């Protein structure tokens, strides 16, 4: 089942026929908002607003673990995150839609970034953090919707909530070889891998961050709002087409990520730990 995590400006899905709203408490706390289970174009999907109702949570305040755990517990097999980003490359102009292949973590340790620890040791491979099968499905959806989709780029995740300095923008662009900058996809992408979910992000480019010399091109909330609405409409066309496309099975590296990753033996786990680990392993 497909789950969609809506970012800035995407707090609900138009046309989603409500089946049930799940107000959950997970072993990792409450998700950002109740998870909406519904039907879109006859397909059962899940929807979760990353920032909560009224955009109440800043990026470092989002309970990413609870969000991913809740989606897995409710039966998700594939997760599509939707995020607004700044571009670090001229060839990715405002209005472009991008699906990153790699993620660079430039956050500052304010976020709980793993399900593991506190008595359970695991080391999950994230060398290739997105599911290529889901990316291929998204490419097909974009093609059928007549929307251009860029793939293969690197997303640099910063802590926020402030917008970055020009020095930071140049570091991400040059030293880290990032193509995009945002605030929300880490640790979301890595938690999805720990939960053995197929994951990728549909990024909506709203600005050029601040690496260009022209201050008129630098990111601001005002410029973000100017560009975002039109870009989101293109993104929704792709999502609508994806929902109507039969999903390919998650790649083996996604659905078997925990097979050899957990080092703590089952007999050393508490009943509570065993219970939530079984959800991730399912």
């Amino acid at each position: 089942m497909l789950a969609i995590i809506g970012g800035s400006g995407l707090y609900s899905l138009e046309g989603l026929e409500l089946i049930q709203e799940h107000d959950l408490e997970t072993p990792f706390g409450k998700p950002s908002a109740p998870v909406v289970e519904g039907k879109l174009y006859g397909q059962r999907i899940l929807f979760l607003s990353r920032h909560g109702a009224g955009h109440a949570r800043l990026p470092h305040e989002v309970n990413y673990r609870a969000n991913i755990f809740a989606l897995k517990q409710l039966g998700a097999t594939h997760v599509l995150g939707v995020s607004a980003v700044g571009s670090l490359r001229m060839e990715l102009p405002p209005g472009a839609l991008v699906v990153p292949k790699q993620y660079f973590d430039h956050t500052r340790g304010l976020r709980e970034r793993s399900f593991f620890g506190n008595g359970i040791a695991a080391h999950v491979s994230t060398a290739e953090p997105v599911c290529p099968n889901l990316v291929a499905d998204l490419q097909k959806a974009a093609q059928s919707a007549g929307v251009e989709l860029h793939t293969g780029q690197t997303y640099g995740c910063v802590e926020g909530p402030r917008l970055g300095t020009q020095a930071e923008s140049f570091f991400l662009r040059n030293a880290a070889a990032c193509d995009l900058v945002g605030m929300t996809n880490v640790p979301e992408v890595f938690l999805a891998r720990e939960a053995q979910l197929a994951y990728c992000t549909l990024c909506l480019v709203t600005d050029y961050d601040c690496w260009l010399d022209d201050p008129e091109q630098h990111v601001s909330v005002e410029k973000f709002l100017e560009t975002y609405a039109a870009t989101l409409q293109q993104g929704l066309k792709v999502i609508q087409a994806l929902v109507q496309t039969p999903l390919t099975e998650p790649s083996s590296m996604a659905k078997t990520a925990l097979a050899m990753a957990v080092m703590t033996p089952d007999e050393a786990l508490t009943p509570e730990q065993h219970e939530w680990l079984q959800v991730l392993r399912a």
Side-chain angles (χ1 to χ4, degrees), residues 6-166:
S8 300
L10 184 58
Y11 309 115
S12 62
L13 279 180
E14 186 177 348
L16 185 64
E17 179 186 337
L18 180 66
I19 295 175
Q20 188 175 354
E21 201 170 83
H22 302 272
D23 190 5
L24 301 177
E25 181 74 40
T26 79
F28 306 95
K30 290 187 73 67
S32 296
V35 179
V36 177
E37 179 184 352
K39 279 193 174 181
L40 188 63
Y41 299 105
Q43 300 300 314
R44 182 168 158 259
I45 67 169
L46 301 172
F47 179 84
L48 174 61
S49 172
R50 185 187 288 114
H51 296 282
H55 205 115
R57 291 173 178 80
L58 290 167
H60 70 278
E61 296 175 324
V62 172
N63 191 339
Y64 296 96
R65 294 193 301 176
N67 286 355
I68 292 296
F69 190 90
L71 296 177
K72 177 69 183 241
Q73 190 173 38
L74 290 171
T77 54
H78 301 69
V79 176
L80 175 67
V82 181
S83 297
V85 297
S87 171
L88 300 171
R89 308 291 168 194
M90 289 302 296
E91 60 268 27
L92 300 174
L97 300 182
V98 187
V99 180
K101 183 177 182 179
Q102 287 289 330
Y103 296 80
F104 179 80
D105 184 358
H106 199 51
T107 60
R108 294 290 184 271
L110 300 180
R111 311 171 187 207
E112 294 286 355
R113 60 191 61 215
S114 176
F115 290 111
F116 299 103
N118 297 312
I120 307 184
H123 302 280
V124 174
S125 173
T126 59
E128 298 178 32
V130 304
C131 177
N133 295 351
L134 182 55
V135 174
D137 288 343
L138 203 59
Q139 287 177 299
K140 291 176 188 174
Q143 186 174 21
S144 69
V147 176
E148 183 179 12
L149 192 67
H150 301 264
T151 60
Q153 287 72 25
T154 297
Y155 174 114
C157 191
V158 298
E159 192 67 76
R162 66 173 175 83
L163 302 174
T165 68
Q166 200 166 50

Side-chain angles (χ1 to χ4, degrees), residues 122-130 189-190 193-194 253-254 257-258 260-261:
H123 302 280
V124 174
S125 173
T126 59
E128 298 178 32
V130 304
V189 56
F190 303 132
R193 176 55 54 86
E194 289 186 351
M253 62 185 176
L258 295 180
M260 300 297 291

